[in-house]
Structures are given as C-alpha cells and as structure tokens.
C-alpha cells in the first residue's frame, strides 16, 4: 500500500470567481492568481476563496 500525506481539511482552500450575476464560475482555479487572471473585475467579477469542510470564509 502506498503512503499518503495527511492534510488538514481546514486548510484546503478553493478559489473561484463570483460573477456579476451572483453565480460562481463553473470551474475551479489552482490558486488566487489563476482566478484573478480569469476574472473580469471591470464587469463586476470578484475572486472568492472558501473551504467546503468548515464553510469558513477566507
């Protein structure tokens, strides 16, 4: 059996884009920089981060 490295699920942060229409982008981003590059802030998009496990806003 292969060994796995434990990670704290509270630190598993995901990044997305909250679009101007109030919906999240239909994709995930590897990091904040990738989400910022995809977002169109001039159209009202906002980069957001979240954690599905504890539902903590970042």
């Amino acid at each position: 059996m292969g060994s796995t490295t434990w990670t704290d699920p509270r630190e598993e942060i995901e990044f997305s884009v909250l679009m101007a229409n109030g919906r999240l982008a239909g994709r995930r981003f590897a990091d904040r920089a990738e989400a910022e590059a995809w977002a169109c802030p001039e159209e009202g998009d906002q980069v957001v981060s979240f954690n599905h496990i504890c539902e903590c806003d970042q």
Side-chain angles (χ1 to χ4, degrees), residues 16-51:
S16 190
V17 173
L18 180 62
M19 298 183 296
N21 65 6
R23 301 183 80 178
L24 286 175
R27 58 171 293 187
R28 293 182 180 172
F29 299 92
D31 54 32
R32 177 174 290 279
E34 183 181 352
E36 288 174 349
W38 189 87
C40 295
E42 65 278 0
E43 295 179 14
D45 293 353
Q46 298 176 17
V47 174
V48 294
S49 60
F50 52 93
N51 178 302

